[in-house]
Amino acid sequence: MDNIIEVKNVSYQYPNSDYKALDNLSLTIRKGEWVAIIGHNGSGKSTLAKLLNYLLVPDTGELIVDKQPVIEENMWTVRNKVGMVFQNPENQFVGATVADDVAFGLENRGISRQKMLEIIPMALKEVHMEAFADREPTYLSGGQKQRVALAGIIAVAPKIIILDEATAMLDPKGRKEVIAAILKLKARLGDELTVLSITHDIDEAADADRIIVINDGQVVDEGRPAEIFSAGPKLLELGLDVPFAEQLKSALNNLGISVPSKYLDEEGMINWLWQLNSKM
Amino acid sequence: MSNMIIGRYVPGNSIIHRLDPRVKLILSISFIVLIFLANNWLGYVVLGLFTLVAVVSTKISLAVYLRGLKPVLWLIIFTIILQLFFSPAGHVYLAFGPFTVTDMGIINACYVFLRFVFIILMSTVLTLTTPPLALADALEYMMKPLLKIKFPVYELSLMLAIALRFVPTLMDETVKVMNAQRARGVDFASGSIIKRSKAIVPILIPLFVGSIQRAIDLGDAMEARGYQGGENRTKFRVLKWQRRDTVAVLIFVCVLVVLIATRFII
């Protein structure tokens, strides 16, 4: 598969900051891949997201999105290809009602009203918000607002969706709803959609094809979720959580029960536990 | 706060609710001008009937309108008293010192009272039946001619729409900040004026800082979604002129003609 995102030796330092938010960072993401970027607060994850969209300009280095270099002349083409869902559901809601908010991106692209009337209900249906089209944001939960934000992006059909800690401010239920909506979208579009999810929610990262771990503006590790999670203690050192199955394993280990060293997801852990029981 | 009826929208489906917001806005402004055309009792009867018809056809209970009059009651009484005691013209009924009560004074006081009531009722009709957002759309449409003199109409109306959308959000945040500060021992309800104004600082500063953060986030989100400025954008919301809007304008013109006629009859 082709590389859809290439980040080459990018550094960025915020004007009022003493250290580099990103330090000579390089990574590539292939078309159709679902990549999770994890790292503790201040590790430079969100900065990377904003650089990919030309909301920030790198000090040094080069970014390429879908064969287009991310530079000033290309910024609107790049923004057309990349849809972003930000962290705070309240602050990114532009429209006065749900339908208005979904329409915002379409209005910016000069789509005719006739077309909008077809696209908006479809986009809202995709995230199960069609019954809320006339609702004002005050009457929506955080998870519902994030689903509307996602619908606004689905409406303009980008090739890449970046979730910049999109579930960080949601309750567990809202978080599940948003992740389910993205999983469904990804299943429908397949390789036509690349998802880059920036998160410190480990369960969200577990759904990814590949995880990239960032610490202090540099890539420290990358691999499939199973590979990354089996390095449990190392993740804890980086200020990250480990999945529940991994926590259970270390608790069992402390009780003197020998556990397999390779990573198991919840399903795998259940199978192992129940086989362990039958042997006794 | 719950007594404030001015500027509040009551959802409904009456004929007035369904009128085009541009019609409602223009007619209510013209009505206020129209009120000053009336100079005799017949004129006021015509205006009164028109106001009554407008109020009744909104299908909102009269109690709501009366509550709208309450906050300005003192202003009305004050003006009436001034009119009553300081009109030297006409037949004098009572006179003591600088105060005189004359027949002209009484009539003028009645007129002033009616003017106040009509203006407030009509503007309440406008705000009760029109969602703030529709009013913003109407304003944008009416400002369109200003585009010719390079006035940033689209930017201004976007600002207005965003401001309106964030009013409830900021209200919620204000309450949250106030409660948080109360929990830490800030007292908003007692003490001298100076002490009370000082207690407002721990609300204002966090609200300001919060608004700036919101503005940054919203700006990022808007740019990421392709917002490049007001021009070359299409619009999802459109205002449609319908037959009932023409009818409303015609009725208003009739009232205007009758009103002008009353000036010459008496």
Side-chain angles (χ1 to χ4, degrees):
Chain A
M1 274 289 175
D2 297 343
N3 290 337
I4 196 159
I5 295 177
E6 284 179 51
V7 180
K8 292 177 193 160
N9 307 92
V10 165
S11 294
Y12 182 82
Q13 186 164 1
Y14 283 97
N16 302 321
S17 167
D18 295 333
Y19 62 94
K20 287 180 175 168
L22 293 180
D23 190 3
N24 205 19
L25 180 114
S26 301
L27 56 89
T28 53
I29 290 165
R30 286 183 295 280
K31 188 166 179 269
E33 216 180 2
W34 179 317
V35 174
I37 294 184
I38 60 174
H40 65 82
N41 284 336
S43 58
K45 307 178 303 261
S46 296
T47 311
L48 177 64
K50 285 183 182 160
L51 284 165
L52 284 171
N53 215 352
Y54 206 73
L55 288 170
L56 294 176
V57 187
D59 299 332
T60 58
E62 196 188 358
L63 296 109
I64 294 167
V65 171
D66 196 26
K67 299 187 185 79
Q68 302 269 355
V70 184
I71 48 172
E72 196 170 350
E73 293 96 89
N74 284 340
M75 80 175 164
W76 298 111
T77 0
V78 168
R79 283 177 192 172
N80 260 338
K81 294 176 192 288
V82 182
M84 277 177 96
V85 181
F86 293 91
Q87 180 175 17
N88 191 321
E90 192 64 62
N91 294 1
Q92 61 178 313
F93 206 108
V94 189
T97 65
V98 167
D100 280 293
D101 193 62
V102 177
F104 183 73
L106 298 168
E107 291 178 324
N108 290 336
R109 285 161 180 78
I111 310 277
S112 74
R113 183 163 187 275
Q114 203 55 47
K115 265 260 179 66
M116 280 191 220
L117 292 176
E118 291 166 22
I119 297 172
I120 293 168
M122 266 165 51
L124 283 174
K125 199 157 185 205
E126 186 86 41
V127 297
H128 299 298
M129 288 294 289
E130 64 269 38
F132 297 84
D134 297 323
R135 216 59 88 76
E136 285 165 28
T138 336
Y139 303 107
L140 301 179
S141 72
Q144 288 173 329
K145 278 181 212 153
Q146 287 303 63
R147 268 147 65 201
V148 173
L150 191 62
I153 283 161
I154 292 171
V156 296
K159 290 188 169 176
I160 303 162
I161 290 186
I162 299 180
L163 307 163
D164 186 1
E165 301 206 36
T167 60
M169 291 173 77
L170 306 182
D171 56 9
K173 185 168 163 275
R175 192 171 294 187
K176 270 190 201 131
E177 289 169 351
V178 171
I179 294 175
I182 300 163
L183 279 169
K184 199 181 112 196
L185 184 71
K186 180 78 177 93
R188 186 167 66 81
L189 293 173
D191 278 353
E192 288 309 304
L193 181 72
T194 308
V195 177
L196 181 59
S197 106
I198 288 168
T199 180
H200 44 211
D201 179 39
I202 226 72
D203 297 317
E204 197 180 318
D207 288 322
D209 302 326
R210 187 155 62 100
I211 294 180
I212 298 174
V213 186
I214 289 186
N215 193 41
D216 293 334
Q218 283 171 317
V219 175
V220 289
D221 203 359
E222 73 175 283
R224 286 185 300 109
E227 291 163 17
I228 299 291
F229 291 149
S230 54
K234 203 174 140 205
L235 284 182
L236 291 173
E237 251 169 59
L238 291 172
L240 290 163
D241 250 345
V242 287
F244 174 71
E246 212 48 48
Q247 289 174 31
L248 180 63
K249 244 165 41 176
S250 79
L252 287 173
N253 213 0
N254 288 346
L255 291 173
I257 299 166
S258 70
V259 288
S261 60
K262 87 175 191 0
Y263 170 74
L264 295 169
D265 57 8
E266 264 173 56
E267 190 92 3
M269 200 65 195
I270 291 167
N271 280 336
W272 176 76
L273 276 173
W274 115 302
Q275 280 170 19
L276 177 79
N277 205 19
S278 70
K279 269 182 231 154
M280 292 206 308
Chain B
M1 271 305 201
S2 57
N3 277 329
M4 276 294 286
I5 197 69
I6 297 171
R8 185 161 295 183
Y9 167 64
V10 178
N13 197 25
S14 71
I15 179 91
I16 303 256
H17 275 95
R18 279 179 284 140
L19 279 182
D20 191 302
R22 289 170 293 183
V23 174
K24 282 191 269 187
L25 189 62
I26 295 172
L27 290 194
S28 14
I29 293 170
S30 335
F31 181 80
I32 291 168
V33 179
L34 197 67
I35 284 172
F36 295 95
L37 269 180
N39 65 344
N40 56 46
W41 63 270
L42 198 56
Y44 281 95
V45 168
V46 173
L47 284 174
L49 279 175
F50 182 64
T51 312
L52 199 68
V53 168
V55 167
V56 170
S57 53
T58 60
K59 292 185 184 157
I60 296 169
S61 90
L62 276 172
V64 176
Y65 287 96
L66 292 181
R67 255 192 291 150
L69 279 172
K70 236 192 222 162
V72 279
L73 199 62
W74 291 111
L75 186 68
I76 298 177
I77 292 173
F78 179 71
T79 327
I80 290 174
I81 289 173
L82 282 186
Q83 285 285 339
L84 206 56
F85 290 120
F86 295 99
S87 306
H91 178 77
V92 177
Y93 292 126
L94 268 173
F96 44 97
F99 306 109
T100 49
V101 176
T102 65
D103 56 348
M104 284 296 279
I106 293 172
I107 290 169
N108 269 336
C110 287
Y111 285 173
V112 166
F113 171 73
L114 286 176
R115 271 180 204 167
F116 261 116
V117 172
F118 292 162
I119 289 176
I120 291 161
L121 283 182
M122 260 324 191
S123 38
T124 317
V125 166
L126 173 72
T127 54
L128 284 181
T129 61
T130 323
L133 206 76
L135 272 182
D137 285 341
L139 269 177
E140 180 184 346
Y141 183 83
M142 287 164 68
M143 286 190 299
K144 280 241 173 94
L146 294 177
L147 276 174
K148 285 207 181 97
I149 56 163
K150 299 260 163 71
F151 188 80
V153 171
Y154 297 117
E155 281 72 16
L156 199 73
S157 60
L158 181 78
M159 272 164 58
L160 196 62
I162 289 175
L164 287 171
R165 174 247 170 284
F166 273 100
V167 166
T169 311
L170 287 176
M171 292 277 236
D172 285 351
E173 189 163 291
T174 313
V175 173
K176 254 185 229 161
V177 172
M178 276 179 84
N179 287 339
Q181 301 292 24
R182 269 198 200 107
R184 307 160 117 209
V186 178
D187 183 7
F188 298 112
S190 65
S192 65
I193 292 179
I194 294 169
K195 211 178 148 209
R196 277 198 219 185
S197 344
K198 272 189 185 157
I200 299 205
V201 176
I203 311 174
L204 277 187
I205 304 285
L207 277 181
F208 262 122
V209 175
S211 305
I212 290 169
Q213 189 53 51
R214 261 180 222 290
I216 293 171
D217 285 357
L218 187 68
D220 278 348
M222 285 170 66
E223 278 203 63
R225 291 172 69 180
Y227 181 76
Q228 300 182 49
E231 266 140 73
N232 304 323
R233 291 185 85 224
T234 44
K235 293 215 72 170
F236 171 59
R237 284 170 172 283
V238 284
L239 299 171
K240 264 198 220 111
W241 189 278
Q242 278 158 317
R243 187 181 292 157
R244 54 171 167 265
D245 300 310
T246 317
V247 172
V249 172
L250 286 179
I251 292 173
F252 187 80
V253 171
C254 291
V255 172
L256 178 71
V257 170
V258 172
L259 201 66
I260 291 170
T262 60
R263 281 181 77 100
F264 299 106
I265 289 168
I266 296 176

